[in-house]
Amino acid sequence: MPNNIIQKEYVRQGLLKMHKLWLTLLPVAAVSLVYMYFLVLNDRPDIEVPEAEACQRLLSNLTQPQKAELGRCCNASAWLAVTQDNTPLGSEIVYDAYPSKRLKVSSGLLEILPEKSPFQESPYKTCAVVGNGGILRNSSCGSKIDGHEFVIRFNLPSVDFPEDVGKKSSIVTVNPSILHKRFHGLNGRRLPFVKAAASYGKTWFLIPAFSYPSNSEASYRALYALQDSASQSHIFFFHPQYLSSLSKYWHDHGFHTPRLSSGFMLVNAALELCQHITLYGFWPFSLHPDGHSLPHHYYDNVLPNSRIHIMPKEFTYYVDMHFHGVLQLHLGRC
Ligand SMILES: *[C@@H]1O[C@H](CO)[C@@H](O)[C@H](O)[C@H]1NC(C)=O
Ligand SMILES: *[C@@H]1O[C@H](CO)[C@@H](O)[C@H](O)[C@H]1NC(C)=O
Ligand SMILES: *[C@@H]1O[C@H](CO)[C@@H](O)[C@H](O)[C@H]1NC(C)=O
């Protein structure tokens, strides 16, 4: 293989070995990522064609089993959301973050579930998975993001920077903690939530309503609020069985973490649901690859107060997938 591929592979292997050291070696990691970033972006077109093809074959051989494995383990098109199809009356929903707690499926619950999976139309040709990283600020990536058939966003993000992040939203995840923090768990007035939801246009909201038992009620109230306001958008609940299968899959593949982030969950779902995936706004470091400092999110600089997710570690997997041609990690401006 040509030199620059070997160089990249060398950097990649180095990064993977660094997994365990990520948390203590963040600055070093950031520097090597910057180096790698330049290798990615300054890809010199000096690869001779037969070698490039050989490399491509090698890379594509590595991606196929993974998609098939994910299909077998997790099956996002059928299981990502709770539906009447996959959750019959009388069956039990097992909370994925609290497996000792189960919920018997009642006719009342069935009534608010969709009949069939909303993802049956997959695969989508092109998907943009849009993280909330500060690297998106001033990126001018908005129109490029909106050009994808399917756009996934996280945690009711700000819609204030359309030039940088676009407007289109096919899926927006909602962490129940946001329902509690920003909308008082919808215990009082519902209009603020309804208005916030309307700012995404017609979209599908995905809520992990059955991860922790304490989150189910607020999630139902969010769904009622949209239904009662005749919103065009729909709320779906993550199927806890999908989340626990996915978590087990990664655990069996050596990725041990208290809980996968919703970014990581949906990148994995996208691997099954999309033909071509581009990640934007995934860059868990406080320095831009070109050296200037970045806010934590593209819309604010509020740091997370929980240490439950290990974003830099998840990021190494995205880098790995990028080098295996499974998805494209977009860094920098458009
Ligand atoms: C890739 O897979 C094909 C078909 O499964 C196989 O014939 C080929 O040898 C593999 N190539 C490499 C480089 O492993
Ligand atoms: C996913 O589940 C659906 C419905 O049960 C099934 O038809 C389909 O074959 C499954 N896909 C995979 C990859 O197992
Ligand atoms: C974005 O651009 C504005 C105007 O040029 C500048 O003030 C701001 O610091 C930039 N922000 C980031 C995160 O690059």
Side-chain angles (χ1 to χ4, degrees):
M1 273 190 281
N3 263 345
N4 61 342
I5 299 279
I6 291 168
Q7 233 174 355
K8 280 182 190 173
E9 186 59 19
Y10 177 76
V11 174
R12 190 179 73 80
Q13 295 296 339
L15 277 171
L16 292 181
K17 280 192 201 123
M18 278 165 55
H19 270 173
K20 293 214 171 72
L21 295 173
W22 268 119
L23 289 179
T24 43
L25 285 181
L26 268 189
V28 181
V31 170
S32 38
L33 281 165
V34 169
Y35 173 49
M36 196 184 55
Y37 167 79
F38 284 111
L39 288 180
V40 176
L41 289 199
N42 304 337
D43 211 348
R44 293 185 305 276
D46 58 358
I47 305 177
E48 286 169 26
V49 171
E51 284 178 326
E53 279 175 0
C55 264
Q56 206 58 48
R57 271 202 307 279
L58 193 76
L59 294 182
S60 60
N61 272 16
L62 291 169
T63 67
Q64 287 320 106
Q66 202 196 17
K67 279 199 185 192
E69 271 172 36
L70 279 174
R72 275 196 300 276
C73 102
C74 308
N75 198 346
S77 69
W79 285 92
L80 182 56
V82 184
T83 67
Q84 294 179 6
D85 248 10
N86 62 27
T87 310
L89 182 67
S91 63
E92 280 189 335
I93 289 179
V94 181
Y95 285 83
D96 60 285
Y98 204 105
S100 62
K101 184 86 181 170
R102 283 146 194 266
L103 177 71
K104 187 130 188 196
V105 177
S106 66
S107 52
L109 176 56
L110 271 192
E111 239 168 61
I112 61 172
L113 298 179
E115 240 174 81
K116 299 202 173 300
S117 166
F119 305 105
Q120 283 180 323
E121 280 163 32
S122 64
Y124 310 105
K125 272 211 184 73
T126 60
C127 296
V129 186
V130 187
N132 293 336
I135 194 167
L136 271 179
R137 188 72 166 269
N138 296 345
S139 69
S140 306
C141 286
S143 57
K144 210 163 164 195
I145 289 173
D146 284 349
H148 291 77
E149 182 184 347
F150 205 76
V151 180
I152 301 174
R153 302 182 191 269
F154 300 96
N155 250 339
L156 292 182
S158 161
V159 292
D160 287 346
F161 303 91
E163 304 79 23
D164 295 333
V165 306
K167 289 184 186 164
K168 183 171 178 175
S169 303
S170 313
I171 292 184
V172 179
T173 69
V174 185
N175 194 323
S177 67
I178 293 234
L179 295 179
H180 291 291
K181 252 186 278 174
R182 273 172 57 189
F183 305 102
H184 308 290
L186 286 98
N187 279 310
R189 304 196 72 111
R190 283 146 192 221
L191 194 59
F193 173 74
V194 170
K195 279 187 172 164
S199 64
Y200 301 94
K202 186 177 173 185
T203 189
W204 294 341
F205 295 100
L206 255 183
I207 308 185
F210 305 112
S211 291
Y212 297 92
S214 54
N215 288 336
S216 303
E217 292 293 330
S219 308
Y220 302 153
R221 286 193 290 274
L223 183 144
Y224 299 144
L226 288 201
Q227 284 190 347
D228 294 351
S229 64
S231 162
Q232 288 191 304
S233 296
H234 289 279
I235 288 189
F236 298 111
F237 302 137
F238 274 102
H239 204 304
Q241 185 169 320
Y242 174 82
L243 299 182
S244 53
S245 306
L246 187 66
S247 161
K248 180 174 183 315
Y249 174 88
W250 282 104
H251 190 271
D252 293 348
H253 284 70
F255 184 14
H256 303 169
T257 170
R259 186 167 172 79
L260 302 172
S261 72
S262 30
F264 198 79
M265 292 168 184
L266 279 170
V267 167
N268 277 278
L271 290 175
E272 288 189 61
L273 301 176
C274 306
Q275 285 168 347
H276 298 280
I277 305 167
T278 310
L279 265 48
Y280 297 86
F282 282 84
W283 177 256
F285 306 105
S286 55
L287 282 184
H288 191 279
D290 74 14
H292 70 271
S293 66
L294 288 174
H296 188 65
H297 297 125
Y298 66 81
Y299 46 86
D300 71 24
N301 195 20
V302 178
L303 296 172
N305 54 13
S306 110
R307 295 265 163 268
I308 197 165
H309 303 310
I310 314 177
M311 300 300 192
K313 189 162 170 182
E314 291 185 352
F315 185 73
T316 60
Y317 284 92
Y318 305 144
V319 171
D320 193 40
M321 292 177 198
H322 176 96
F323 281 119
H324 282 121
V326 178
L327 49 72
Q328 207 196 338
L329 183 59
H330 183 98
L331 306 170
R333 298 181 213 291
C334 290

PDB file of all heavy atoms in Angstrom, residues 78-110:
ATOM      1  N   ALA A  78     -36.519  -2.545  12.482  1.00  0.00           N
ATOM      2  CA  ALA A  78     -37.703  -3.103  13.157  1.00  0.00           C
ATOM      3  C   ALA A  78     -37.769  -2.759  14.642  1.00  0.00           C
ATOM      4  O   ALA A  78     -38.850  -2.689  15.216  1.00  0.00           O
ATOM      5  CB  ALA A  78     -37.725  -4.620  12.978  1.00  0.00           C
ATOM      6  N   TRP A  79     -36.586  -2.520  15.278  1.00  0.00           N
ATOM      7  CA  TRP A  79     -36.560  -2.476  16.739  1.00  0.00           C
ATOM      8  C   TRP A  79     -36.118  -1.158  17.352  1.00  0.00           C
ATOM      9  O   TRP A  79     -36.095  -1.016  18.572  1.00  0.00           O
ATOM     10  CB  TRP A  79     -35.643  -3.594  17.268  1.00  0.00           C
ATOM     11  CG  TRP A  79     -36.292  -4.928  17.169  1.00  0.00           C
ATOM     12  CD1 TRP A  79     -36.198  -5.817  16.134  1.00  0.00           C
ATOM     13  CD2 TRP A  79     -37.179  -5.533  18.130  1.00  0.00           C
ATOM     14  NE1 TRP A  79     -36.961  -6.926  16.388  1.00  0.00           N
ATOM     15  CE2 TRP A  79     -37.576  -6.783  17.611  1.00  0.00           C
ATOM     16  CE3 TRP A  79     -37.669  -5.134  19.369  1.00  0.00           C
ATOM     17  CZ2 TRP A  79     -38.448  -7.635  18.298  1.00  0.00           C
ATOM     18  CZ3 TRP A  79     -38.526  -5.984  20.049  1.00  0.00           C
ATOM     19  CH2 TRP A  79     -38.909  -7.224  19.504  1.00  0.00           C
ATOM     20  N   LEU A  80     -35.730  -0.179  16.545  1.00  0.00           N
ATOM     21  CA  LEU A  80     -35.238   1.070  17.149  1.00  0.00           C
ATOM     22  C   LEU A  80     -36.332   1.736  17.991  1.00  0.00           C
ATOM     23  O   LEU A  80     -36.079   2.250  19.077  1.00  0.00           O
ATOM     24  CB  LEU A  80     -34.737   2.024  16.058  1.00  0.00           C
ATOM     25  CG  LEU A  80     -34.149   3.357  16.519  1.00  0.00           C
ATOM     26  CD1 LEU A  80     -33.002   3.137  17.497  1.00  0.00           C
ATOM     27  CD2 LEU A  80     -33.672   4.186  15.330  1.00  0.00           C
ATOM     28  N   ALA A  81     -37.571   1.717  17.483  1.00  0.00           N
ATOM     29  CA  ALA A  81     -38.671   2.352  18.206  1.00  0.00           C
ATOM     30  C   ALA A  81     -39.651   1.304  18.723  1.00  0.00           C
ATOM     31  O   ALA A  81     -39.828   0.249  18.102  1.00  0.00           O
ATOM     32  CB  ALA A  81     -39.402   3.321  17.279  1.00  0.00           C
ATOM     33  N   VAL A  82     -40.291   1.595  19.835  1.00  0.00           N
ATOM     34  CA  VAL A  82     -41.344   0.719  20.358  1.00  0.00           C
ATOM     35  C   VAL A  82     -42.571   0.865  19.468  1.00  0.00           C
ATOM     36  O   VAL A  82     -43.023   1.982  19.207  1.00  0.00           O
ATOM     37  CB  VAL A  82     -41.727   1.125  21.801  1.00  0.00           C
ATOM     38  CG1 VAL A  82     -42.755   0.149  22.369  1.00  0.00           C
ATOM     39  CG2 VAL A  82     -40.515   1.157  22.704  1.00  0.00           C
ATOM     40  N   THR A  83     -43.097  -0.259  18.980  1.00  0.00           N
ATOM     41  CA  THR A  83     -44.279  -0.227  18.114  1.00  0.00           C
ATOM     42  C   THR A  83     -45.279  -1.289  18.585  1.00  0.00           C
ATOM     43  O   THR A  83     -44.919  -2.178  19.364  1.00  0.00           O
ATOM     44  CB  THR A  83     -43.919  -0.561  16.643  1.00  0.00           C
ATOM     45  OG1 THR A  83     -43.505  -1.934  16.591  1.00  0.00           O
ATOM     46  CG2 THR A  83     -42.806   0.309  16.115  1.00  0.00           C
ATOM     47  N   GLN A  84     -46.495  -1.207  18.067  1.00  0.00           N
ATOM     48  CA  GLN A  84     -47.486  -2.234  18.394  1.00  0.00           C
ATOM     49  C   GLN A  84     -47.041  -3.585  17.856  1.00  0.00           C
ATOM     50  O   GLN A  84     -47.324  -4.626  18.446  1.00  0.00           O
ATOM     51  CB  GLN A  84     -48.844  -1.856  17.790  1.00  0.00           C
ATOM     52  CG  GLN A  84     -49.424  -0.602  18.410  1.00  0.00           C
ATOM     53  CD  GLN A  84     -50.776  -0.211  17.798  1.00  0.00           C
ATOM     54  OE1 GLN A  84     -51.344  -0.933  16.981  1.00  0.00           O
ATOM     55  NE2 GLN A  84     -51.275   0.942  18.195  1.00  0.00           N
ATOM     56  N   ASP A  85     -46.304  -3.534  16.737  1.00  0.00           N
ATOM     57  CA  ASP A  85     -45.795  -4.750  16.113  1.00  0.00           C
ATOM     58  C   ASP A  85     -44.812  -5.508  16.998  1.00  0.00           C
ATOM     59  O   ASP A  85     -44.891  -6.719  17.140  1.00  0.00           O
ATOM     60  CB  ASP A  85     -45.034  -4.352  14.836  1.00  0.00           C
ATOM     61  CG  ASP A  85     -45.737  -4.825  13.596  1.00  0.00           C
ATOM     62  OD1 ASP A  85     -46.886  -5.281  13.727  1.00  0.00           O
ATOM     63  OD2 ASP A  85     -45.126  -4.722  12.516  1.00  0.00           O
ATOM     64  N   ASN A  86     -43.843  -4.752  17.550  1.00  0.00           N
ATOM     65  CA  ASN A  86     -42.782  -5.447  18.282  1.00  0.00           C
ATOM     66  C   ASN A  86     -43.056  -5.537  19.793  1.00  0.00           C
ATOM     67  O   ASN A  86     -42.257  -6.112  20.535  1.00  0.00           O
ATOM     68  CB  ASN A  86     -41.403  -4.825  17.978  1.00  0.00           C
ATOM     69  CG  ASN A  86     -41.281  -3.360  18.400  1.00  0.00           C
ATOM     70  OD1 ASN A  86     -41.966  -2.915  19.328  1.00  0.00           O
ATOM     71  ND2 ASN A  86     -40.406  -2.616  17.746  1.00  0.00           N
ATOM     72  N   THR A  87     -44.173  -4.980  20.245  1.00  0.00           N
ATOM     73  CA  THR A  87     -44.457  -4.957  21.680  1.00  0.00           C
ATOM     74  C   THR A  87     -45.929  -5.279  21.929  1.00  0.00           C
ATOM     75  O   THR A  87     -46.734  -4.380  22.163  1.00  0.00           O
ATOM     76  CB  THR A  87     -44.119  -3.540  22.236  1.00  0.00           C
ATOM     77  OG1 THR A  87     -42.811  -3.204  21.792  1.00  0.00           O
ATOM     78  CG2 THR A  87     -44.154  -3.503  23.738  1.00  0.00           C
ATOM     79  N   PRO A  88     -46.276  -6.563  21.854  1.00  0.00           N
ATOM     80  CA  PRO A  88     -47.701  -6.923  21.953  1.00  0.00           C
ATOM     81  C   PRO A  88     -48.302  -6.680  23.340  1.00  0.00           C
ATOM     82  O   PRO A  88     -47.569  -6.613  24.336  1.00  0.00           O
ATOM     83  CB  PRO A  88     -47.722  -8.416  21.610  1.00  0.00           C
ATOM     84  CG  PRO A  88     -46.316  -8.855  21.475  1.00  0.00           C
ATOM     85  CD  PRO A  88     -45.407  -7.690  21.607  1.00  0.00           C
ATOM     86  N   LEU A  89     -49.600  -6.586  23.355  1.00  0.00           N
ATOM     87  CA  LEU A  89     -50.363  -6.425  24.595  1.00  0.00           C
ATOM     88  C   LEU A  89     -50.002  -7.548  25.573  1.00  0.00           C
ATOM     89  O   LEU A  89     -49.915  -8.708  25.197  1.00  0.00           O
ATOM     90  CB  LEU A  89     -51.858  -6.501  24.264  1.00  0.00           C
ATOM     91  CG  LEU A  89     -52.846  -6.305  25.423  1.00  0.00           C
ATOM     92  CD1 LEU A  89     -52.771  -4.884  25.948  1.00  0.00           C
ATOM     93  CD2 LEU A  89     -54.264  -6.629  24.985  1.00  0.00           C
ATOM     94  N   GLY A  90     -49.724  -7.167  26.821  1.00  0.00           N
ATOM     95  CA  GLY A  90     -49.428  -8.176  27.828  1.00  0.00           C
ATOM     96  C   GLY A  90     -47.955  -8.552  27.918  1.00  0.00           C
ATOM     97  O   GLY A  90     -47.536  -9.190  28.869  1.00  0.00           O
ATOM     98  N   SER A  91     -47.169  -8.158  26.895  1.00  0.00           N
ATOM     99  CA  SER A  91     -45.731  -8.463  26.975  1.00  0.00           C
ATOM    100  C   SER A  91     -45.080  -7.504  27.973  1.00  0.00           C
ATOM    101  O   SER A  91     -45.725  -6.576  28.472  1.00  0.00           O
ATOM    102  CB  SER A  91     -45.080  -8.330  25.598  1.00  0.00           C
ATOM    103  OG  SER A  91     -45.178  -7.003  25.145  1.00  0.00           O
ATOM    104  N   GLU A  92     -43.793  -7.735  28.265  1.00  0.00           N
ATOM    105  CA  GLU A  92     -43.129  -6.899  29.256  1.00  0.00           C
ATOM    106  C   GLU A  92     -42.008  -6.092  28.624  1.00  0.00           C
ATOM    107  O   GLU A  92     -41.205  -6.622  27.851  1.00  0.00           O
ATOM    108  CB  GLU A  92     -42.565  -7.778  30.367  1.00  0.00           C
ATOM    109  CG  GLU A  92     -43.627  -8.195  31.357  1.00  0.00           C
ATOM    110  CD  GLU A  92     -43.036  -8.873  32.573  1.00  0.00           C
ATOM    111  OE1 GLU A  92     -41.924  -9.439  32.466  1.00  0.00           O
ATOM    112  OE2 GLU A  92     -43.690  -8.838  33.630  1.00  0.00           O
ATOM    113  N   ILE A  93     -41.983  -4.822  28.943  1.00  0.00           N
ATOM    114  CA  ILE A  93     -40.878  -3.970  28.528  1.00  0.00           C
ATOM    115  C   ILE A  93     -39.868  -3.961  29.669  1.00  0.00           C
ATOM    116  O   ILE A  93     -40.227  -3.696  30.818  1.00  0.00           O
ATOM    117  CB  ILE A  93     -41.387  -2.539  28.258  1.00  0.00           C
ATOM    118  CG1 ILE A  93     -42.239  -2.506  26.982  1.00  0.00           C
ATOM    119  CG2 ILE A  93     -40.228  -1.568  28.139  1.00  0.00           C
ATOM    120  CD1 ILE A  93     -42.805  -1.145  26.660  1.00  0.00           C
ATOM    121  N   VAL A  94     -38.618  -4.282  29.351  1.00  0.00           N
ATOM    122  CA  VAL A  94     -37.574  -4.292  30.375  1.00  0.00           C
ATOM    123  C   VAL A  94     -36.758  -3.010  30.238  1.00  0.00           C
ATOM    124  O   VAL A  94     -36.203  -2.749  29.172  1.00  0.00           O
ATOM    125  CB  VAL A  94     -36.644  -5.512  30.195  1.00  0.00           C
ATOM    126  CG1 VAL A  94     -35.568  -5.525  31.280  1.00  0.00           C
ATOM    127  CG2 VAL A  94     -37.446  -6.798  30.195  1.00  0.00           C
ATOM    128  N   TYR A  95     -36.724  -2.210  31.290  1.00  0.00           N
ATOM    129  CA  TYR A  95     -35.959  -0.956  31.245  1.00  0.00           C
ATOM    130  C   TYR A  95     -34.472  -1.260  31.036  1.00  0.00           C
ATOM    131  O   TYR A  95     -33.895  -2.035  31.792  1.00  0.00           O
ATOM    132  CB  TYR A  95     -36.161  -0.181  32.551  1.00  0.00           C
ATOM    133  CG  TYR A  95     -37.517   0.480  32.627  1.00  0.00           C
ATOM    134  CD1 TYR A  95     -38.647  -0.219  33.033  1.00  0.00           C
ATOM    135  CD2 TYR A  95     -37.664   1.817  32.260  1.00  0.00           C
ATOM    136  CE1 TYR A  95     -39.892   0.379  33.083  1.00  0.00           C
ATOM    137  CE2 TYR A  95     -38.907   2.427  32.308  1.00  0.00           C
ATOM    138  CZ  TYR A  95     -40.018   1.717  32.721  1.00  0.00           C
ATOM    139  OH  TYR A  95     -41.238   2.319  32.761  1.00  0.00           O
ATOM    140  N   ASP A  96     -33.853  -0.669  29.994  1.00  0.00           N
ATOM    141  CA  ASP A  96     -32.491  -1.099  29.675  1.00  0.00           C
ATOM    142  C   ASP A  96     -31.454  -0.631  30.700  1.00  0.00           C
ATOM    143  O   ASP A  96     -30.452  -1.304  30.907  1.00  0.00           O
ATOM    144  CB  ASP A  96     -32.086  -0.684  28.254  1.00  0.00           C
ATOM    145  CG  ASP A  96     -32.117   0.804  28.015  1.00  0.00           C
ATOM    146  OD1 ASP A  96     -33.228   1.360  27.879  1.00  0.00           O
ATOM    147  OD2 ASP A  96     -31.044   1.420  27.962  1.00  0.00           O
ATOM    148  N   ALA A  97     -31.675   0.491  31.357  1.00  0.00           N
ATOM    149  CA  ALA A  97     -30.693   0.954  32.337  1.00  0.00           C
ATOM    150  C   ALA A  97     -31.063   0.489  33.743  1.00  0.00           C
ATOM    151  O   ALA A  97     -30.379   0.821  34.711  1.00  0.00           O
ATOM    152  CB  ALA A  97     -30.581   2.476  32.301  1.00  0.00           C
ATOM    153  N   TYR A  98     -32.139  -0.275  33.850  1.00  0.00           N
ATOM    154  CA  TYR A  98     -32.673  -0.650  35.154  1.00  0.00           C
ATOM    155  C   TYR A  98     -33.427  -1.963  34.975  1.00  0.00           C
ATOM    156  O   TYR A  98     -34.648  -2.030  35.133  1.00  0.00           O
ATOM    157  CB  TYR A  98     -33.631   0.467  35.595  1.00  0.00           C
ATOM    158  CG  TYR A  98     -33.838   0.589  37.077  1.00  0.00           C
ATOM    159  CD1 TYR A  98     -33.249   1.628  37.795  1.00  0.00           C
ATOM    160  CD2 TYR A  98     -34.650  -0.319  37.772  1.00  0.00           C
ATOM    161  CE1 TYR A  98     -33.456   1.756  39.161  1.00  0.00           C
ATOM    162  CE2 TYR A  98     -34.853  -0.185  39.136  1.00  0.00           C
ATOM    163  CZ  TYR A  98     -34.253   0.854  39.814  1.00  0.00           C
ATOM    164  OH  TYR A  98     -34.462   0.990  41.165  1.00  0.00           O
ATOM    165  N   PRO A  99     -32.685  -3.024  34.591  1.00  0.00           N
ATOM    166  CA  PRO A  99     -33.331  -4.249  34.098  1.00  0.00           C
ATOM    167  C   PRO A  99     -34.188  -4.974  35.130  1.00  0.00           C
ATOM    168  O   PRO A  99     -34.989  -5.838  34.749  1.00  0.00           O
ATOM    169  CB  PRO A  99     -32.161  -5.137  33.654  1.00  0.00           C
ATOM    170  CG  PRO A  99     -30.930  -4.355  33.866  1.00  0.00           C
ATOM    171  CD  PRO A  99     -31.229  -3.075  34.547  1.00  0.00           C
ATOM    172  N   SER A 100     -34.060  -4.625  36.404  1.00  0.00           N
ATOM    173  CA  SER A 100     -34.921  -5.306  37.381  1.00  0.00           C
ATOM    174  C   SER A 100     -36.344  -4.755  37.314  1.00  0.00           C
ATOM    175  O   SER A 100     -37.268  -5.313  37.886  1.00  0.00           O
ATOM    176  CB  SER A 100     -34.357  -5.148  38.789  1.00  0.00           C
ATOM    177  OG  SER A 100     -34.321  -3.789  39.132  1.00  0.00           O
ATOM    178  N   LYS A 101     -36.506  -3.660  36.598  1.00  0.00           N
ATOM    179  CA  LYS A 101     -37.819  -3.030  36.504  1.00  0.00           C
ATOM    180  C   LYS A 101     -38.455  -3.354  35.150  1.00  0.00           C
ATOM    181  O   LYS A 101     -37.821  -3.195  34.100  1.00  0.00           O
ATOM    182  CB  LYS A 101     -37.631  -1.512  36.663  1.00  0.00           C
ATOM    183  CG  LYS A 101     -38.894  -0.739  36.674  1.00  0.00           C
ATOM    184  CD  LYS A 101     -39.509  -0.646  38.050  1.00  0.00           C
ATOM    185  CE  LYS A 101     -40.807   0.139  37.927  1.00  0.00           C
ATOM    186  NZ  LYS A 101     -41.612   0.112  39.120  1.00  0.00           N
ATOM    187  N   ARG A 102     -39.676  -3.825  35.212  1.00  0.00           N
ATOM    188  CA  ARG A 102     -40.397  -4.184  33.980  1.00  0.00           C
ATOM    189  C   ARG A 102     -41.735  -3.471  33.932  1.00  0.00           C
ATOM    190  O   ARG A 102     -42.299  -3.141  34.975  1.00  0.00           O
ATOM    191  CB  ARG A 102     -40.654  -5.690  33.947  1.00  0.00           C
ATOM    192  CG  ARG A 102     -39.451  -6.482  33.585  1.00  0.00           C
ATOM    193  CD  ARG A 102     -39.417  -7.808  34.310  1.00  0.00           C
ATOM    194  NE  ARG A 102     -38.089  -8.383  34.176  1.00  0.00           N
ATOM    195  CZ  ARG A 102     -37.752  -9.255  33.226  1.00  0.00           C
ATOM    196  NH1 ARG A 102     -38.658  -9.679  32.364  1.00  0.00           N
ATOM    197  NH2 ARG A 102     -36.528  -9.707  33.139  1.00  0.00           N
ATOM    198  N   LEU A 103     -42.221  -3.304  32.723  1.00  0.00           N
ATOM    199  CA  LEU A 103     -43.514  -2.646  32.563  1.00  0.00           C
ATOM    200  C   LEU A 103     -44.387  -3.543  31.709  1.00  0.00           C
ATOM    201  O   LEU A 103     -44.006  -3.921  30.597  1.00  0.00           O
ATOM    202  CB  LEU A 103     -43.301  -1.303  31.851  1.00  0.00           C
ATOM    203  CG  LEU A 103     -44.553  -0.510  31.538  1.00  0.00           C
ATOM    204  CD1 LEU A 103     -45.156   0.062  32.810  1.00  0.00           C
ATOM    205  CD2 LEU A 103     -44.224   0.630  30.571  1.00  0.00           C
ATOM    206  N   LYS A 104     -45.530  -3.919  32.232  1.00  0.00           N
ATOM    207  CA  LYS A 104     -46.455  -4.758  31.473  1.00  0.00           C
ATOM    208  C   LYS A 104     -47.186  -3.871  30.470  1.00  0.00           C
ATOM    209  O   LYS A 104     -47.712  -2.808  30.830  1.00  0.00           O
ATOM    210  CB  LYS A 104     -47.436  -5.414  32.446  1.00  0.00           C
ATOM    211  CG  LYS A 104     -48.311  -6.424  31.805  1.00  0.00           C
ATOM    212  CD  LYS A 104     -48.306  -7.720  32.596  1.00  0.00           C
ATOM    213  CE  LYS A 104     -49.048  -8.781  31.825  1.00  0.00           C
ATOM    214  NZ  LYS A 104     -49.413  -9.921  32.622  1.00  0.00           N
ATOM    215  N   VAL A 105     -47.225  -4.294  29.221  1.00  0.00           N
ATOM    216  CA  VAL A 105     -47.810  -3.463  28.170  1.00  0.00           C
ATOM    217  C   VAL A 105     -49.335  -3.495  28.259  1.00  0.00           C
ATOM    218  O   VAL A 105     -49.951  -4.547  28.119  1.00  0.00           O
ATOM    219  CB  VAL A 105     -47.341  -3.930  26.786  1.00  0.00           C
ATOM    220  CG1 VAL A 105     -47.994  -3.115  25.686  1.00  0.00           C
ATOM    221  CG2 VAL A 105     -45.825  -3.817  26.689  1.00  0.00           C
ATOM    222  N   SER A 106     -49.908  -2.328  28.517  1.00  0.00           N
ATOM    223  CA  SER A 106     -51.365  -2.222  28.672  1.00  0.00           C
ATOM    224  C   SER A 106     -51.972  -1.705  27.376  1.00  0.00           C
ATOM    225  O   SER A 106     -51.263  -1.222  26.490  1.00  0.00           O
ATOM    226  CB  SER A 106     -51.663  -1.225  29.787  1.00  0.00           C
ATOM    227  OG  SER A 106     -51.229   0.068  29.375  1.00  0.00           O
ATOM    228  N   SER A 107     -53.304  -1.785  27.298  1.00  0.00           N
ATOM    229  CA  SER A 107     -53.946  -1.282  26.080  1.00  0.00           C
ATOM    230  C   SER A 107     -53.783   0.239  26.008  1.00  0.00           C
ATOM    231  O   SER A 107     -53.702   0.807  24.917  1.00  0.00           O
ATOM    232  CB  SER A 107     -55.419  -1.681  26.042  1.00  0.00           C
ATOM    233  OG  SER A 107     -56.036  -1.291  27.243  1.00  0.00           O
ATOM    234  N   GLY A 108     -53.686   0.884  27.178  1.00  0.00           N
ATOM    235  CA  GLY A 108     -53.468   2.329  27.187  1.00  0.00           C
ATOM    236  C   GLY A 108     -52.136   2.692  26.557  1.00  0.00           C
ATOM    237  O   GLY A 108     -52.031   3.662  25.793  1.00  0.00           O
ATOM    238  N   LEU A 109     -51.111   1.919  26.850  1.00  0.00           N
ATOM    239  CA  LEU A 109     -49.795   2.195  26.262  1.00  0.00           C
ATOM    240  C   LEU A 109     -49.831   1.897  24.764  1.00  0.00           C
ATOM    241  O   LEU A 109     -49.344   2.689  23.946  1.00  0.00           O
ATOM    242  CB  LEU A 109     -48.716   1.350  26.959  1.00  0.00           C
ATOM    243  CG  LEU A 109     -47.301   1.454  26.380  1.00  0.00           C
ATOM    244  CD1 LEU A 109     -46.825   2.906  26.353  1.00  0.00           C
ATOM    245  CD2 LEU A 109     -46.318   0.604  27.163  1.00  0.00           C
ATOM    246  N   LEU A 110     -50.431   0.756  24.405  1.00  0.00           N
ATOM    247  CA  LEU A 110     -50.487   0.384  22.983  1.00  0.00           C
ATOM    248  C   LEU A 110     -51.108   1.486  22.138  1.00  0.00           C
ATOM    249  O   LEU A 110     -50.674   1.750  21.020  1.00  0.00           O
ATOM    250  CB  LEU A 110     -51.318  -0.885  22.811  1.00  0.00           C
ATOM    251  CG  LEU A 110     -50.601  -2.222  22.904  1.00  0.00           C
ATOM    252  CD1 LEU A 110     -51.519  -3.320  22.408  1.00  0.00           C
ATOM    253  CD2 LEU A 110     -49.321  -2.213  22.087  1.00  0.00           C
TER     254      LEU A 110
END
